Amino acid sequence: MAVASRTPLIAGNWKMNLDHLQSIAFVQKLAWTLKDANHDFAGAEVAVFPPFTDLRSVQTLISADKLELVFGAQDVSQYDSGAYTGEISGAFLKALDASYVIIGHSERRTMHAETDEIVAAKSAAAIKHGLVPVICVGETADDLETHGPSAVPVAQLKAALAGIGAGTSAAPTDIVVAYEPVWAIGSGQAATPEQAEQVCAALRGVLAEVLGQDTADATRILYGGSVKSGNIAGFMRQPNVDGALVGGASLDVAEFAAISRFQKHVGV
Ligand code: PGA
């Protein structure tokens, strides 16, 4: 694995917000805010996930101003190129210097009918093109009631990892897993740190089973779902939580910068 230690990752999923002009202003302000606060980027990586139409602008700004921020896309095609109207190839994202791509977000699973098989194919495509997939898993409120906390996320991760691994064409150098309970996304009702830890520990068990203990030990697992500056510390104190995937709160520069600087208020 490329990431020798689990450097915490704070990832901002903008969803369908901010056009390319707004993205430039936002990223500039975020970079200044973190610089003013002497943010230790080596201690906590900060990534933004803008809409596709913003990516070129964000890339140009980050590279021209030598910002320490990184960026990724919110989705990728499972195919390399061809007659797939509206799709974006991992090759195009790599050519733009994107580092990451979110795969299998619950909004895509539910609103765009993304199956476990599609999530697996997209994860393999990301790896093939040298992108780090941020593989999202999580249970609905109904799943939680029917199957308990870990069953659905564990099954989703196992399915997503099918076809990824040593000896396949999609041997990962780095992957990120994001545990996002669907009931916590955009609801203002985050999981408790203990709930997040329980599922993230189970997900690390899946990584060990499928990809081996060394890979499991080196892989970052994020929690996502109503993360704010006021609750990030509790999550980051958990041994199996290595960062956060942030939606709503990632659209406010001051709030997202405060989340990124969790080390200042984690107190461990
Ligand atoms: P939220 O979204 O932080 O607004 O709950 C998280 C996500 O969807 O990644």
Side-chain angles (χ1 to χ4, degrees):
M1 303 289 277
V3 181
S5 64
R6 298 190 330 235
T7 303
L9 172 62
I10 303 298
N13 174 12
W14 295 1
K15 308 190 179 182
M16 198 171 73
N17 293 290
L18 306 181
D19 66 25
H20 75 289
L21 294 173
Q22 292 168 318
S23 79
I24 295 171
F26 185 97
V27 169
Q28 262 168 348
K29 202 168 160 204
L30 178 62
W32 291 333
T33 305
L34 289 170
K35 193 164 177 247
D36 281 355
N38 284 322
H39 179 68
D40 171 20
F41 284 93
E45 194 180 359
V46 183
V48 292
F49 292 78
F52 285 125
T53 48
D54 300 3
L55 291 175
R56 176 65 166 148
S57 306
V58 169
Q59 178 222 0
T60 304
L61 176 62
I62 286 177
S63 121
D65 289 4
K66 300 191 172 44
L67 305 180
E68 291 184 89
L69 299 166
V70 294
F71 68 95
Q74 297 174 16
D75 187 24
V76 66
S77 173
Q78 62 186 296
Y79 305 108
D80 293 349
S81 64
Y84 302 102
T85 301
E87 293 290 284
I88 302 287
S89 167
F92 306 163
L93 297 175
K94 187 64 188 170
L96 270 183
D97 266 345
S99 301
Y100 295 100
V101 59
I102 295 173
I103 293 176
H105 189 281
S106 65
E107 287 155 16
R108 295 211 61 85
R109 289 181 190 259
T110 55
M111 292 187 263
H112 300 273
E114 284 197 6
T115 61
D116 282 341
E117 290 69 34
I118 294 174
V119 171
K122 289 186 172 189
S123 300
I127 292 166
K128 176 179 170 191
H129 290 293
L131 302 161
V132 176
V134 179
I135 302 170
C136 300
V137 297
E139 81 288 357
T140 63
D142 279 353
D143 293 334
L144 183 63
E145 212 173 287
T146 318
H147 307 288
S150 308
V152 167
V154 159
Q156 286 177 337
L157 184 58
K158 281 186 183 161
L161 296 176
I164 293 178
T168 73
S169 63
T173 53
D174 192 9
I175 60 169
V176 173
V177 175
Y179 167 52
E180 297 205 300
V182 179
W183 48 269
I185 294 176
S187 67
Q189 193 205 335
T192 65
E194 293 72 26
Q195 283 175 313
E197 170 61 19
Q198 186 188 353
V199 179
C200 290
L203 295 174
R204 201 172 300 284
V206 172
L207 292 169
E209 203 180 298
V210 180
L211 300 173
Q213 192 62 50
D214 289 352
T215 299
D217 289 343
T219 298
R220 290 168 297 176
I221 303 180
L222 316 182
Y223 166 76
S226 296
V227 171
K228 308 264 183 300
S229 60
N231 62 18
I232 183 70
F235 294 113
M236 296 310 294
R237 282 196 197 99
Q238 305 304 316
N240 282 293
V241 178
D242 308 306
L245 183 54
V246 186
S250 78
L251 296 170
D252 178 316
V253 171
E255 179 66 3
F256 188 57
I259 294 169
S260 302
R261 296 178 65 251
F262 69 88
Q263 278 153 333
K264 298 292 169 225
H265 43 111
V266 161
V268 285

